[in-house]
Amino acid sequence: MPIKSKPSKPSVEGSKNTLQIQGRPGVSEARQLADLATDGIATNAITATTYLGATQPNVSLTEMVASLQDHGRRVNGNDLSAAEQMLTAQAIALNAIFAEMARRAALNMGQHLEATEKYMRLALRAQGQSRATIETLAAIKNPPVVYAKQANITSGPQQVNNGVPTLPMQACGEPLGIPAHEQSGKTANELLRVSDGTRMDAGAPGAAGFTNPGLATVGLLHGAKVRGRTRQSLTK
């Protein structure tokens, strides 16, 4: 692809396939070519002018690059009016292709079934592309709204609490319904440890013994009936 600095006068005849750009100070010609290739504008401009050569042979490559840059700046500014017009035109053109292929399929109906099938496939393919183009245009005009929901996947039932629940407060400032060892950050075993020589739990169990004989087992004091006779007490 030839490249040269853009002249002040219009390009001479025969230079429509030469890309003319404004030189940047301190940037080599090779780097400018590489930048044009990486941003994709120049390569797509070449593709467009190549396919337009049969119908529009006088399209300038330099002006095609400038036009693509203008369209890109519009899209960057959220102006999609040109893209919407292009998609609308494509949908209409694809519908025209569908109508022509369907007409040709009808002409071969009953005589050349193979040709009929090929034309019908082309017709339905053009119809599907036209529908897809219209759907794309509708998505641009009215973007779909995505509703995000929380997915809880587990092997069994579960409860998910999103957020920290608020508990009623006592007069002392501690929340109700929370054990004392959880409020202080200590475990139950830590509360029963010895502190300054005395146990913190005044209700610890005492030593076992016969401190109240009146509540002792009846069989030990008066004997138990075994098969009709009374067994003597073991403590006399």
Side-chain angles (χ1 to χ4, degrees):
M1 179 180 60
I3 181 174
K4 62 181 180 179
S5 299
K6 189 175 182 180
S8 57
K9 296 181 179 180
S11 302
V12 296
E13 186 178 357
S15 61
K16 63 182 181 61
N17 293 326
T18 300
L19 178 59
Q20 300 174 354
I21 62 173
Q22 293 288 350
R24 291 180 292 172
V27 181
S28 63
E29 181 178 316
R31 176 56 186 271
Q32 295 182 58
L33 281 174
D35 292 341
L36 288 173
T38 54
D39 62 15
I41 294 180
T43 54
N44 285 279
I46 294 173
T47 303
T49 53
T50 300
Y51 279 91
L52 290 173
T55 56
Q56 302 182 35
N58 296 323
V59 174
S60 171
L61 180 59
T62 302
E63 297 302 327
M64 178 64 71
V65 170
S67 178
L68 293 180
Q69 289 175 342
D70 289 340
H71 282 286
R73 282 189 287 267
R74 292 179 184 176
V75 174
N76 292 337
N78 294 328
D79 183 6
L80 300 177
S81 58
E84 294 172 358
Q85 293 177 2
M86 181 187 64
L87 290 174
T88 302
Q90 287 181 354
I92 296 174
L94 288 168
N95 183 65
I97 296 174
F98 159 74
E100 176 62 19
M101 294 299 104
R103 184 188 69 84
R104 295 193 179 192
L107 291 177
N108 290 275
M109 188 77 67
Q111 297 178 357
H112 307 283
L113 294 180
E114 184 177 357
T116 300
E117 182 181 3
K118 290 182 179 180
Y119 280 125
M120 186 58 67
R121 287 183 178 180
L122 292 175
L124 295 178
R125 186 176 302 178
Q127 188 271 340
Q129 292 298 323
S130 178
R131 174 189 52 79
T133 304
I134 295 175
E135 289 179 353
T136 304
L137 180 62
I140 293 177
K141 298 293 291 184
N142 300 299
V145 180
V146 178
Y147 296 94
K149 295 184 179 181
Q150 179 177 348
N152 300 316
I153 303 175
T154 181
S155 58
Q158 67 173 352
Q159 178 180 355
V160 178
N161 297 323
N162 295 321
V164 180
T166 303
L167 298 178
M169 305 298 291
Q170 300 179 6
C172 61
E174 295 292 344
L176 291 174
I178 300 180
H181 65 275
E182 294 184 5
Q183 297 177 10
S184 61
K186 298 182 180 181
T187 61
N189 294 334
E190 292 177 346
L191 295 178
L192 298 178
R193 292 178 181 175
V194 178
S195 177
D196 299 332
T198 60
R199 292 184 63 86
M200 298 179 64
D201 188 2
F210 292 98
T211 57
N212 192 350
L215 299 179
T217 305
V218 177
L220 295 178
L221 299 178
H222 305 287
K225 293 182 179 181
V226 180
R227 294 184 178 179
R229 67 179 183 274
T230 302
R231 186 176 62 181
Q232 297 296 327
S233 174
L234 298 179
T235 57
K236 293 183 179 181

